[in-house]
Amino acid sequence: MAGVRRDGSLMREKGGHPFRGSRIAAAVAIGVLLGCVCAFAFPNGFFSPAPLMRNRRLSKSDLEIGSLSCESSEKISMLKTDIMGLTGKNAELKKQVRDLTKKLRLAEQGKGHAQEQYVVSGEQPKAGPFGTVKSLRTLPTVLPDESVNPRLAKLLEKVAVGKELIVALANSNVQSMLQVWYTSIKKVGIPNYLVVALDDGIANLCQSNSVPFYKRDPDDGIDSVAKTGSNHAVSGLKFRILREFLQLGYSVLLSDVDIVYLQNPFDHLHRDSDVESMSDGHSNMTAYGYNDVFDEPAMGWARYAHTMRIWVYNSGFFYIRPTIPSIELLDRVAERLSRPKPAWDQAVFNEELFFPSHPGYIGLHAAKRTLDMYLFMNSKVLFKTVRKDANLKKLMPVIVHVNYHPDKLPRMKAVVEFYVNGKKDALDPFPDGSDW
């Protein structure tokens, strides 16, 4: 035990622990114990937010994250839609670039029309075995567009047969020939024909004789020529007027009025070309083409040069299908005939149809066929050859076109007498050529 000195200080017994050391050890033990208790009771520390506040913060954060998540989903969807749209436009633009590049390249190579034909007809074909390859004969027709001329479209629905018909342009200058023309058509029994009346006199004549006719809407550019123009001037109008027929999807057998019909021409067409025309030729060589040798002695060894020749197509009688090359032909001829310098429509018609592409000029890519010269007969063949041959006189032509002779009306009447009425000497009084 501890004693007390007289001066009041503590005294220690021998062999006992100091009192101060015991107090320190007890304090340390209590501190450690309290630390363990606090650590267990307050794992987040004394100054961490209250549970309610913590929950509130978590809830607000969760809402913000959810809201951002929704907005992000909508934005992603919108971006995906935009990307898909842009991808489609990009593909379309790439296709346009490819097409334009191809057209440019083909134009530079001078092969544009041939390749476009393949594009229209479908996939490019492979060549077959030797001797079996045949090129495309008949081009597809255009898609009819009735908005071009609704009134004419309704009329053609009534008049045409199988989307084709005979069409003639006429003014009062050719009234007498027109009467012989439509009388012969009626005699044969051809139902699908139409007169484009260029003045009121022809319209009244057709109406009084039950002849189908069409009177165009007023057009100063056409009417001035149509009413007072010569035969050649009127003939030039047909290329502008025929365009509407083709745009409406109809094949047209264009006919001048100095023609006598003896059979139905639609029974003798092939319909395998853009244009089928009668020829101004008078023999197999001139009508269908021949190898002509040009002789130039100054050239010595090379004095003989071979050329290909064919007599022109007659622009007063041809069958034309509603194809792109056909419409291009009409446009080219009409454009050239509209220029100030006068030009003969038949010469222009043949130049555009036959001239090949060459430097500075792109030729027309149109298929053409020459009609049988004894079936579709011109007046030179008739008066110079046929009427003098016993066997040829027995043939019945489809038409006779009095194109080589100026005395048209009397010769037309003689043709009717000879072929229709059986008068064997009806053609005899006329000379081979003309008296001019």
Side-chain angles (χ1 to χ4, degrees), residues 245-291:
F245 287 78
L246 268 58
Q247 283 182 278
L248 293 172
Y250 289 85
S251 297
V252 174
L253 184 57
L254 188 281
S255 174
D256 282 352
V257 296
D258 56 346
I259 293 176
V260 176
Y261 286 78
L262 302 167
Q263 296 187 62
N264 191 329
F266 294 109
D267 296 336
H268 301 273
L269 297 173
H270 294 264
R271 301 173 180 84
D272 63 348
S273 304
D274 298 297
V275 177
E276 296 181 54
S277 178
M278 70 173 296
S279 172
D280 271 4
H282 59 92
S283 64
N284 285 345
M285 287 177 59
T286 57
Y288 310 135
Y290 63 101
N291 182 3

Side-chain angles (χ1 to χ4, degrees), residues 33 72 85 101 111 147 176 217 244 271 285 370 394 407:
L33 180 62
S72 298
T101 303
K111 299 177 182 178
S147 65
S176 298
D217 293 332
E244 290 184 347
R271 301 173 180 84
M285 287 177 59
T370 306
K394 297 176 183 178
D407 50 340

Side-chain angles (χ1 to χ4, degrees), residues 381-393 432:
V381 172
L382 175 62
F383 287 98
K384 188 173 181 290
T385 305
V386 171
R387 67 170 178 170
K388 300 175 183 179
D389 187 295
N391 291 321
L392 293 177
K393 286 174 71 173
D432 290 355

Side-chain angles (χ1 to χ4, degrees), residues 104-122:
L104 179 61
R105 185 174 65 253
L106 294 174
E108 291 172 350
Q109 295 173 350
K111 299 177 182 178
H113 290 284
Q115 281 289 6
E116 287 169 10
Q117 180 170 310
Y118 279 122
V119 173
V120 170
S121 59

Side-chain angles (χ1 to χ4, degrees), residues 46-284:
F46 289 104
F47 302 102
S48 64
L52 181 60
M53 289 297 294
R54 187 165 63 249
N55 289 340
R56 285 180 181 173
R57 289 182 183 178
L58 289 173
S59 298
K60 184 177 181 182
S61 176
D62 291 342
L63 288 173
E64 289 176 353
I65 292 171
S67 175
L68 288 172
S69 178
C70 289
E71 288 181 8
S72 298
S73 298
E74 291 178 1
K75 287 182 178 179
I76 290 171
S77 298
M78 291 175 66
L79 287 172
K80 285 182 177 179
T81 303
D82 292 342
I83 290 170
M84 290 176 64
L86 291 172
T87 302
K89 289 181 179 179
N90 188 40
E92 185 179 347
L93 289 172
K94 283 183 177 179
K95 183 178 182 301
Q96 290 179 7
V97 170
R98 287 197 304 269
D99 292 343
L100 290 172
T101 303
K102 182 187 292 185
K103 288 181 180 179
L104 179 61
R105 185 174 65 253
L106 294 174
E108 291 172 350
Q109 295 173 350
K111 299 177 182 178
H113 290 284
Q115 281 289 6
E116 287 169 10
Q117 180 170 310
Y118 279 122
V119 173
V120 170
S121 59
E123 296 181 359
Q124 290 179 281
K126 293 181 178 180
F130 178 82
T132 65
V133 177
K134 299 293 181 184
S135 62
L136 189 64
R137 292 295 193 269
T138 307
L139 292 174
T141 57
V142 299
L143 185 68
D145 183 5
E146 293 189 3
S147 65
V148 170
N149 191 331
R151 185 165 67 88
L152 179 60
K154 290 181 180 179
L155 177 60
L156 294 181
E157 286 180 3
K158 299 176 182 178
V159 175
V161 175
K163 301 287 285 187
E164 56 187 11
L165 73 162
I166 300 170
V167 175
L169 280 67
N171 62 15
S172 295
N173 294 338
V174 296
Q175 179 172 320
S176 298
M177 286 190 291
L178 180 64
Q179 289 175 302
V180 178
W181 181 85
Y182 67 66
T183 300
S184 68
I185 288 177
K186 289 183 177 183
K187 181 74 174 179
V188 174
I190 303 170
N192 48 331
Y193 69 101
L194 182 71
V195 175
V196 177
L198 299 177
D199 57 36
D200 293 334
I202 294 298
N204 294 333
L205 175 68
C206 291
Q207 190 169 19
S208 61
N209 288 276
S210 300
V211 173
F213 73 96
Y214 167 65
K215 187 76 161 54
R216 289 176 51 84
D217 293 332
D219 187 328
D220 294 337
I222 292 178
D223 293 344
S224 58
V225 177
K227 294 178 180 179
T228 59
S230 64
N231 288 346
H232 282 312
V234 171
S235 185
L237 293 177
K238 62 195 172 196
F239 298 98
R240 290 178 59 185
I241 294 174
L242 281 183
R243 193 186 204 278
E244 290 184 347
F245 287 78
L246 268 58
Q247 283 182 278
L248 293 172
Y250 289 85
S251 297
V252 174
L253 184 57
L254 188 281
S255 174
D256 282 352
V257 296
D258 56 346
I259 293 176
V260 176
Y261 286 78
L262 302 167
Q263 296 187 62
N264 191 329
F266 294 109
D267 296 336
H268 301 273
L269 297 173
H270 294 264
R271 301 173 180 84
D272 63 348
S273 304
D274 298 297
V275 177
E276 296 181 54
S277 178
M278 70 173 296
S279 172
D280 271 4
H282 59 92
S283 64
N284 285 345

